[in-house]
Amino acid sequence: VQAIAYIALGSNLGDSRRTVLRAMERLQELSGQPLVKSSLLETTPVDCPPGSPNFVNAAVGLVPRAGETPESLLAKLQQLEREFGRTAKKILNEARPLDLDLIAFGNETRATPELTLPHLRAHLRRFVLEPLAEIAPNLVLAGQGSSVVELLRQLTSGEVVRRLQ
Ligand code: ADP
Ligand code: MG
């Protein structure tokens, strides 16, 4: 079985829906197989400055190409963020045209500030788990005792507003 990399997409600046759809097209180029895509969700901001716009969130699964590592994939995700107009942040969780978080890369684990795998906060965030549950309901993230749908069921916060497509 080929390892799958799961990526969470988020945008709350500019034409977020279009940005997320275009970013998915670019992510397809990084995958050896057709991308597995969730629908787009509108969500309310979490831990963001007051007055932050709503987000569009989604998740995709891709099959990394031969030789791709978690580090090389993250570098490509960060390059894509810049391509879509992301600049160095000045304020914690300020509005951004595109955020691409690597949620998991097969069963790989990492524990550095530059790369933590699975992503540190993924299992706590409805805006990550909800789209992920559409494409990988039974995925168990390393270090978690429960699958994505089970984690989702355990959450009490409710930031998803609506499904956009
Ligand atoms: P956030 O996603 O929390 O809004 P950023 O996108 O600005 O914040 O990312 C902050 C840092 O998180 C980046 O410098 C990146 O190196 C680091 N990072 C650590 N683990 C991961 C991961 N799994 N996916 C994406 N970025 C990560
Ligand atoms: Mg990020």
Side-chain angles (χ1 to χ4, degrees), residues 19-81:
T19 296
V20 167
L21 290 172
R22 282 171 56 222
M24 283 177 168
E25 285 173 22
R26 301 284 277 110
L27 290 171
Q28 175 61 71
E29 296 163 21
L30 304 179
S31 183
Q33 299 283 323
L35 210 61
V36 183
K37 298 184 262 188
S38 75
S39 52
L40 273 53
L41 303 178
E42 183 180 350
T43 70
T44 50
V46 178
D47 300 331
C48 290
S52 294
N54 281 355
F55 278 78
V56 173
N57 288 109
V60 302
L62 65 79
V63 176
R65 296 189 182 278
E68 194 88 88
T69 64
E71 287 74 17
S72 67
L73 183 57
L74 180 65
K76 288 170 186 169
L77 299 181
Q78 291 173 341
Q79 175 58 40
L80 262 185
E81 289 179 339

Side-chain angles (χ1 to χ4, degrees), residues 74 78 86 89 96 99 101-102 113-116 121:
L74 180 65
Q78 291 173 341
R86 178 101 178 243
K89 70 174 158 194
R96 70 285 301 278
D99 184 38
D101 287 344
L102 188 54
E114 295 74 37
L115 181 58
T116 304
R121 294 169 296 277

